[in-house]
Amino acid sequence: MDLSRHLRHFIVVAEELHFGRAAEVLGIAQPPLSQSIQRLERELGAELFDRSRRQIELTMAGRLLVEEAGRFLAGEERLRAMMRQAGDGELGTLRIGVPPEIPAVTLHALLRHVAEETPGLRLELHELTIPEQLRRLTSAQLDAGLVHHPVDVPGLRSGPVVEIPLGVVLPRTSPLALARPRPRPGPGSRPWEIELADLAGHDLVVFPRETSPAWYDRMLDVCRAGGFSPVRLQHARNPEFLLGLVLAGHGVAFEQEAMARREPRLAWRPLAGAPLLRGICVAWPERSAHPAAAGFAALAAGILAQDVTAGTPQAAPGTSPPPAPRPWSVVYAP
């Protein structure tokens, strides 16, 4: 029995108190309307109209049902609207994995934009390393995660890729940080840039290879091709530990500027030619995907691509501030 349809018929008849006029309002014939009301009465076990007089009247049960039917139908419409919003990813909870190194300003922008655009969607954030995110994504313990690209894990989809140029993180007292700007050949070059070959003789502080094997190997290949073969590799899983090792003089690191700005005793310098571009994207399970995952991936890419961490590398004593770093770029992965 389609209770909602029969209740809608009942409400119109109750308003018109005439089956003929009610049928015209509903755009149906009178016999089917009468049958609909009769079926509703059988289903509810009560007569809703007194038909003993020339003009029908509502019974006591009918008058009570007028009030309840309106609330029932309004509740049903709210329920349908809620389900439509949930299906469109506008309601519910989205479990998101974020890496520890994500800048605070980026995280704030993500939360603010989601709250503004989909206020019914709640983000449940989990601070996790990339490998842990990938494990939880494949086991459906996360709905989406901010990870490094490429995502070489079966069963996961990924959204637009943001390429972030990395620079050199080094102590402010390092000769490379204190050196005055020097002319650089070529269009678009900047005097504050550091060549990879300038880092010869330094150790390198880097994340463990198992965190992202493809990116790890590519980074070392780029370093060697540019004339920098690290004397020794120091591994750091936690961003704060990485910064601490650099600050203690245990090597240099390649990171985005926002990381270096966490520690005022560190400096950040761009690499000439931006040879190291780290791809970041949102990944989510392909099967049983959360309806908000793809939309969140697009939103996150747009925010990451903005120069939300705009700033300039710290100037060496007695020198002018260097130009602002170039904006990040977005590429769309197949």
Side-chain angles (χ1 to χ4, degrees), residues 158-160 281-284 292-302:
S158 57
C281 66
V282 172
W284 66 92
F296 177 78
L299 173 65

Side-chain angles (χ1 to χ4, degrees), residues 94-97 133-134 136-147 151 153-161 281-301 332-334:
L94 186 66
R95 299 168 299 175
I96 300 291
Q133 285 191 57
L134 296 175
R136 295 198 185 190
L137 286 169
T138 55
S139 61
Q141 297 179 56
L142 283 179
D143 299 311
L146 197 60
V147 299
V151 182
V153 178
L156 296 183
R157 298 185 61 185
S158 57
V161 182
C281 66
V282 172
W284 66 92
E286 189 170 14
R287 298 184 60 184
S288 304
H290 192 291
F296 177 78
L299 173 65
Y332 288 84

Side-chain angles (χ1 to χ4, degrees), residues 158-184:
S158 57
V161 182
V162 179
E163 290 186 332
I164 305 175
L166 302 185
V168 184
V169 181
L170 62 169
R172 284 182 61 88
T173 56
S174 166
L176 286 175
L178 295 172
R180 291 182 176 275
R182 54 184 172 176
R184 294 289 186 185

Side-chain angles (χ1 to χ4, degrees), residues 122-251:
R122 186 176 75 90
L123 293 188
E124 182 180 289
L125 300 180
H126 300 264
E127 184 184 23
L128 301 167
T129 63
I130 304 298
E132 183 60 27
Q133 285 191 57
L134 296 175
R135 284 194 293 270
R136 295 198 185 190
L137 286 169
T138 55
S139 61
Q141 297 179 56
L142 283 179
D143 299 311
L146 197 60
V147 299
H148 294 159
H149 183 81
V151 182
D152 298 323
V153 178
L156 296 183
R157 298 185 61 185
S158 57
V161 182
V162 179
E163 290 186 332
I164 305 175
L166 302 185
V168 184
V169 181
L170 62 169
R172 284 182 61 88
T173 56
S174 166
L176 286 175
L178 295 172
R180 291 182 176 275
R182 54 184 172 176
R184 294 289 186 185
S189 62
R190 293 170 291 170
W192 281 82
E193 292 175 338
I194 289 179
E195 300 280 355
L196 281 170
D198 295 337
L199 302 175
H202 286 78
D203 294 340
L204 179 63
V205 183
V206 65
F207 54 86
R209 185 178 184 277
E210 61 268 20
T211 299
S212 184
W215 168 246
Y216 184 97
D217 294 342
R218 179 179 175 277
M219 179 179 60
L220 292 183
D221 289 342
V222 169
C223 287
R224 297 187 187 102
F228 172 41
S229 295
V231 176
R232 185 174 55 168
L233 295 175
Q234 295 266 18
H235 292 111
R237 296 180 182 274
N238 186 283
E240 297 301 326
F241 184 53
L242 180 145
L243 296 181
L245 288 178
V246 174
L247 186 61
H250 288 271

